[in-house]
Amino acid sequence: MKQTAHFLAFITVAAGLFSACGSSGGSGSVAPAEADSVVAEVDSTALTESSDSVSTAADETFDDFFFNYAVNRRLQKKRTKFPLPELRGDKTTHIAERAWQMDYFFMRQDYYTLLFDSEQEIEEVKNVDVNTAIVEKIYFNTQSVKQYWFRRENGLWMLYEIAYIPVAASHNSTFLQFYQRFATDTAFQTASLDETVKFVGPDPDDDFVQMEGLITPDTWPAFAPQLPQKMIYNIVYGQPRKERDTKVFVLRGIANGLEIELCFKRKAGKWMLTKMIT
């Protein structure tokens, strides 16, 4: 009885956590902004005047470099190889430096998303040996992916190509098709819960201790985050791999400490949610 009461308190705190992060719609839902809205204003004047150099340490990992690249106008031009090839199917055009438009990527919203093949793979973002990376904008309304290909040359990260591919050609194609429905259809979400969905979150009595419990279909509405529906981001660290039967969808705040991990497993050809970590 004590364990049940403790877990009910856990649910209440978890729902409060989601609500505090900005909810709309159902109870306890995280409400990230749509892809084109601005929820975290960037000082464009400061960006324009920023230095066009970064420290050597900032080039060690792609994340350190990219967060500088996405907010620094001068650096962005310096670290982009012009004329920049832009591939659309069999057609290649080139973008001249004078025609380049500053791209803030996800820095004008308060979150970004990532896809990994396992929880262990999340640690790869810290790998200093990674020398290629692809930033993806995945558009569900057009079923297309815009890929920014980066490569580290002589210790410096550079954008060297942009490519457009259909979602069906993505190395995450089956999961992305599943995700689009999972993010928009609450009945489908419930039907996509595994027999047992593990929940890991902060202890309501101690923020430094993680608690574990199980999510059931009747308690799912208290946990279900409101996921981005029109467009999501992904970063591929290293070369893309063939799609596997496990996937971790990460929703990560830029400056608010928010992080949610949804772990999925493909069983008999169907993706199922198996674990949620906050």
Side-chain angles (χ1 to χ4, degrees):
M1 190 72 176
K2 182 178 179 182
Q3 183 178 8
T4 302
H6 200 41
F7 184 56
L8 288 174
F10 182 37
I11 292 176
T12 301
V13 171
L17 171 66
F18 292 152
S19 179
C21 292
S23 63
S24 66
S27 172
S29 58
V30 176
E34 294 298 352
D36 296 329
S37 64
V38 178
V39 297
E41 290 291 347
V42 176
D43 186 342
S44 58
T45 301
L47 297 179
T48 304
E49 299 302 322
S50 295
S51 168
D52 61 1
S53 63
V54 298
S55 67
T56 303
D59 267 305
E60 287 188 354
T61 68
F62 179 72
D63 276 12
D64 289 340
F65 156 76
F66 186 71
F67 275 85
N68 281 282
Y69 181 89
V71 299
N72 188 319
R73 188 185 304 276
R74 292 179 180 176
L75 178 66
Q76 191 164 121
K77 281 196 171 185
K78 185 176 181 180
R79 293 298 188 88
T80 300
K81 283 196 166 185
F82 295 110
L84 182 68
E86 189 173 40
L87 285 64
R88 297 175 184 265
D90 296 331
K91 183 180 179 181
T92 301
T93 57
H94 292 82
I95 303 173
E97 182 175 355
R98 65 180 179 276
W100 179 255
Q101 298 293 318
M102 175 71 178
D103 194 331
Y104 296 101
F105 297 92
F106 45 71
M107 297 305 292
R108 283 191 162 183
Q109 57 190 36
D110 58 359
Y111 75 99
Y112 61 104
T113 56
L114 296 166
L115 292 172
F116 297 98
D117 288 326
S118 67
E119 292 179 61
Q120 292 72 29
E121 193 178 283
I122 295 176
E123 295 302 312
E124 287 190 11
V125 304
K126 303 173 185 176
N127 187 350
V128 298
D129 295 325
V130 171
N131 290 310
T132 60
I134 309 167
V135 176
E136 297 182 319
K137 294 181 180 179
I138 302 164
Y139 298 93
F140 292 110
N141 58 338
T142 60
Q143 288 292 295
S144 63
V145 182
K146 184 176 182 180
Q147 298 179 321
Y148 298 75
W149 289 70
F150 291 86
R151 181 168 55 216
R152 184 158 52 182
E153 300 176 349
N154 299 319
L156 303 178
W157 284 100
M158 302 287 296
L159 172 64
Y160 69 93
E161 182 179 284
I162 292 177
Y164 294 82
I165 64 171
V167 166
S170 167
H171 62 289
N172 289 315
S173 59
T174 63
F175 179 79
L176 291 175
Q177 292 164 12
F178 160 81
Y179 171 85
Q180 183 177 13
R181 186 175 177 188
F182 186 85
T184 57
D185 187 334
T186 54
F188 182 72
Q189 278 188 15
T190 302
S192 300
L193 301 180
D194 200 14
E195 293 180 5
T196 58
V197 178
K198 186 177 180 180
F199 184 92
V200 180
D203 188 325
D205 299 322
D206 188 344
D207 291 338
F208 297 100
V209 176
Q210 292 288 93
M211 287 185 58
E212 296 183 3
L214 296 178
I215 300 174
T216 57
D218 58 315
T219 60
W220 172 246
F223 292 87
Q226 184 177 337
L227 302 169
Q229 300 177 1
K230 295 181 180 180
M231 189 267 276
I232 61 173
Y233 280 90
N234 184 38
I235 299 177
V236 181
Y237 300 88
Q239 291 298 320
R241 302 186 180 101
K242 183 179 179 182
E243 190 169 44
R244 302 177 184 175
D245 289 331
T246 56
K247 195 68 64 180
V248 182
F249 176 87
V250 178
L251 179 69
R252 181 173 291 167
I254 292 176
N256 56 16
L258 170 68
E259 178 149 335
I260 298 174
E261 297 176 19
L262 299 177
C263 304
F264 297 87
K265 187 171 184 178
R266 184 163 48 186
K267 298 183 176 182
K270 182 179 179 181
W271 287 99
M272 306 295 290
L273 178 66
T274 60
K275 185 177 180 181
M276 181 174 179
I277 305 172
T278 65

